Amino acid sequence: MRSDTITVCTDGTGVSEALAQTEAVAVFKGLNRKDSLRLRLLAEEMMGMLSALTGEVEAKFYIEDENNDFRLHLSTDTSMNSEKREKLLEVSTSGRNSSAVGVMGKLRNLFERAFEPVDSDPGNYLSVGWMDPEYDPLGVTAWSLCKYRDSIEKDGSAKEEWDELERSIVANIADEIRIGIKGAKVEMIIYKKF
């Protein structure tokens, strides 16, 4: 099953429709109250990440499901570039994106940085968790929460990152989060099996 596709924007347009679509999917699939709330929470976090992006971004949101294995999709074409980002961050006292803290803040920053040209500095946010595009049949560059979690768990010195994962609602509810970049398209997918 695939839900309707809802256009959502950083200005909040379409967000309530996307959340209503999420609730409709939960009802249609017969999820219990607890699982329905979890699915909605994942959609809310995804919408919150979108609304915090800099600039005007329009994205497509939809949900796929197969045997109660849900995938929440948020995809957009790239429009940000490193020059725009630099000008936006010049306004900040520190010259850095101070909201890129916590797992969702870092994911938002990673999603936003995907709008930039390949040769721009990716920064050090979520530097582990990248999947090699050579092993993806579509050749997609992707970041994976599971791969990130495994790397942090193995690295005993990454206490701050581990604490962020422990406190993150999304990291504790979602089975997997992937951000993929292919050409001019950036997509975030949150996976949850009920």
Side-chain angles (χ1 to χ4, degrees):
M1 180 224 67
R2 179 180 163 149
S3 74
D4 293 338
T5 300
I6 309 293
T7 300
V8 291
C9 302
T10 51
D11 68 1
T13 305
V15 170
S16 61
E17 291 85 353
L19 295 176
Q21 181 71 40
T22 303
E23 290 174 355
V25 165
V27 169
F28 180 76
K29 295 305 293 183
L31 295 181
N32 64 39
R33 178 167 164 67
K34 183 178 178 182
D35 291 343
S36 296
L37 289 172
R38 285 182 174 168
L39 189 66
R40 180 181 165 101
L41 180 61
L42 291 171
E44 285 176 352
E45 289 291 326
M46 191 177 253
M47 295 303 113
M49 185 217 58
L50 176 70
S51 68
L53 291 176
T54 54
E56 295 177 23
V57 177
E58 183 177 282
K60 303 294 183 191
F61 170 81
Y62 64 93
I63 301 173
E64 289 181 310
D65 159 67
E66 189 174 317
N67 299 323
N68 282 347
D69 191 359
F70 292 85
R71 293 169 307 283
L72 289 77
H73 293 258
L74 184 67
S75 63
T76 187
D77 292 325
T78 61
S79 61
M80 177 67 74
N81 60 43
S82 54
E83 184 178 321
K84 280 185 189 177
R85 170 185 288 283
E86 195 173 301
K87 287 185 189 228
L88 286 167
L89 292 180
E90 282 175 2
V91 176
S92 166
T93 306
S94 67
R96 294 183 10 238
N97 187 347
S98 62
S99 64
V101 294
V103 173
M104 284 309 287
K106 289 178 179 178
L107 278 175
R108 189 198 74 259
N109 187 273
L110 178 64
F111 192 78
E112 190 172 48
R113 283 184 175 274
F115 293 117
E116 297 179 3
V118 175
D119 59 349
S120 67
D121 176 19
N124 61 359
Y125 300 116
L126 302 173
S127 58
V128 294
W130 286 99
M131 299 165 58
D132 190 341
E134 286 183 28
Y135 299 105
D136 186 303
L138 300 175
V140 174
T141 301
W143 179 90
S144 164
L145 174 66
C146 289
K147 189 166 177 157
Y148 177 71
R149 185 181 285 138
D150 289 346
S151 297
I152 296 303
E153 192 171 5
K154 289 176 187 172
D155 182 0
S157 65
K159 182 174 176 11
E160 182 179 334
E161 286 84 0
W162 184 256
D163 288 345
E164 285 178 349
L165 274 174
E166 292 279 307
R167 289 189 307 264
S168 171
I169 293 169
V170 172
N172 284 306
I173 294 176
D175 296 328
E176 170 72 301
I177 300 171
R178 290 193 180 170
I179 296 177
I181 306 161
K182 181 156 177 114
K185 187 177 186 103
V186 181
E187 182 170 29
M188 174 184 280
I189 305 172
I190 297 179
Y191 297 80
K192 180 63 183 172
K193 174 116 175 126
F194 292 109

